[in-house]
């Protein structure tokens, strides 16, 4: 019997909630995240995967990631914004214009190029590592956990947990969520990294590379970003997903795609700021979508 890989893609706060439900469903169906040969966790998927693989429950993950900011965090955000406003001309400078030409020449894609041309974000990434158990992992990487981020030096993708295991898991979790314009790049050993979703919202192409297990037969691909009704990146996410699905299937892999249904998608705009009561609905939407993908119910 072959092995299974699980992909938890990008999706912001909605992705955190949707993934929490999907991961809970995996446990209910006797296929917990820890049983996967490889878990590719990008952006919103990174803290969920790292936390669950550290031993936390999906309910604990959702509670921690989706809680309201503390007064100290709000004060820190306000101070950061005030500083940014006082030096707005400097803040408008592209984050890494020198890497754009080389990245495009290698076929890195428009997302990576835009990450270089966009201004660096102003918010710190530290709150993005608050999922339970992530800090405690240190450099003890859970088996098979791959967290992609993009280096602003050259636009290349680094897959933490595969390419490097000497980096703290929490630092990789921050780097993979460092959305350009919004969050400051996460510096690791002198290199600034940004959101792994700038390369691909799912990075499922990693599963047809030389480093993927040779006996891999199945992929469970959770892609909440492809159904968000208002994100400008949705078109990019859908196109990239189609390309990666074609590559996975051409490699003979059985792919079970998990995306929000219409009822869940209706709650995603402004989530969770405009409607915090929708949190359990999005969590349940992830759970429902995973069950539907695996057993048709």
């Amino acid at each position: 019997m072959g092995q299974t890989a699980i992909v938890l893609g990008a999706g912001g706060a909605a992705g955190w909630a949707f993934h929490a439900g999907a991961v809970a469903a995996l446990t209910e169906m006797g296929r917990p995240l820890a049983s996967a040969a490889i878990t590719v966790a990008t952006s919103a998927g990174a803290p969920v995967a790292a936390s669950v693989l550290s031993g936390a429950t999906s309910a604990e993950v959702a509670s921690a990631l989706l809680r309201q900011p503390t007064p100290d965090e709000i004060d820190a955000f306000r101070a950061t914004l005030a500083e940014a406003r006082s030096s707005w001309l400097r803040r408008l400078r592209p984050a890494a214009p020198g890497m754009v030409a080389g990245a495009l020449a290698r076929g890195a894609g428009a997302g990576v190029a835009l990450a270089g041309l966009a201004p660096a974000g102003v918010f710190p990434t530290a709150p993005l590592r608050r999922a339970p158990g992530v800090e405690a992992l240190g450099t003890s990487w859970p088996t098979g956990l791959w967290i992609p981020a993009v280096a602003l030096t050259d636009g290349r993708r680094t897959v933490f947990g595969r390419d490097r295991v000497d980096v703290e898991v929490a630092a990789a979790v921050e780097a993979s969520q460092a959305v350009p314009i919004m969050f400051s790049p996460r510096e690791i050993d002198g290199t600034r990294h940004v959101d792994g979703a700038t390369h691909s919202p799912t990075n499922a192409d990693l599963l047809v590379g030389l480093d993927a297990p040779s006996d891999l037969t199945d992929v469970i691909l959770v892609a909440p970003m492809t159904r968000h009704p208002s994100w400008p990146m949705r078109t990019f996410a859908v196109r990239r997903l189609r390309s990666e699905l074609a590559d996975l299937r051409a490699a003979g892999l059985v792919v079970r795609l998990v995306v929000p249904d219409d009822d869940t998608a209706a709650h995603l705009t402004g989530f969770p700021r405009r409607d915090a009561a929708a949190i359990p609905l999005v969590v349940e939407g992830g759970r429902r979508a995973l069950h539907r993908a695996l057993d048709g119910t």
Side-chain angles (χ1 to χ4, degrees):
M1 183 176 179
Q3 297 197 73
T4 298
I6 295 174
V7 177
L8 302 182
W16 291 339
F18 192 78
H19 287 319
V23 169
L26 285 170
T27 300
E28 292 166 2
M29 301 182 78
R31 305 182 69 169
L33 202 63
S35 69
I38 299 291
T39 300
V40 179
T42 302
S43 199
V48 176
S51 186
V52 170
L53 290 174
S54 78
T57 67
S58 58
E60 291 170 337
V61 172
S63 177
L65 288 175
L66 295 165
R67 68 168 171 76
Q68 294 298 313
T70 65
D72 287 345
E73 288 173 339
I74 292 173
D75 288 344
F77 285 153
R78 287 174 175 166
T80 300
L81 282 176
E83 180 185 355
R85 292 191 185 105
S86 69
S87 55
W88 63 272
L89 282 175
R90 178 170 59 84
R91 290 290 183 183
L92 289 177
R93 296 173 186 168
M99 70 86 165
V100 173
L104 289 175
R106 292 194 312 275
V112 172
L114 289 173
L117 293 173
V122 298
F123 292 115
T125 57
L128 300 176
R129 64 195 284 163
R130 67 189 183 193
V134 173
E135 290 273 9
L137 287 171
T139 57
S140 298
W141 278 82
T143 301
L145 175 60
W146 292 358
I147 298 180
V150 171
L152 284 179
T153 49
D154 55 12
R156 295 182 186 274
R157 175 174 59 183
T158 300
V159 184
F160 294 103
R162 184 197 69 172
D163 304 337
R164 295 190 60 180
V165 293
D166 60 328
V167 171
E168 289 189 347
V169 176
V173 165
E174 289 184 55
S176 193
Q177 297 180 91
V179 180
I181 302 177
M182 182 179 296
F183 289 99
S184 300
R186 178 56 159 93
E187 186 171 313
I188 296 176
D189 295 338
T191 297
R192 295 181 302 158
H193 293 82
V194 293
D195 192 349
T198 59
H199 181 92
S200 164
T202 50
N203 287 287
D205 61 304
L206 292 169
L207 299 175
V208 293
L210 295 176
D211 294 305
S214 59
D215 58 348
L216 196 67
T217 58
D218 298 89
V219 178
I220 300 171
L221 201 165
V222 189
M225 191 170 177
T226 58
R227 285 300 307 273
H228 199 290
S230 62
W231 287 346
M233 287 287 285
R234 180 176 181 267
T235 299
F236 166 65
V238 170
R239 289 176 178 171
R240 192 60 187 253
L241 177 62
R242 287 174 180 165
S243 174
E244 292 180 354
L245 285 173
D247 290 342
L248 293 171
R249 287 167 177 156
L253 297 172
V254 175
V255 183
R256 293 173 174 84
L257 182 61
V258 183
V259 297
D261 57 23
D262 291 342
D263 289 341
T264 306
H267 296 292
L268 300 185
T269 300
F271 179 91
R273 294 182 305 280
R274 297 182 191 173
D275 186 11
I279 290 174
L281 300 178
V282 177
V283 172
E284 175 57 25
R287 178 182 173 278
R288 183 171 61 244
L290 196 289
H291 273 282
R292 185 183 302 113
L294 264 61
D295 63 17
T297 62

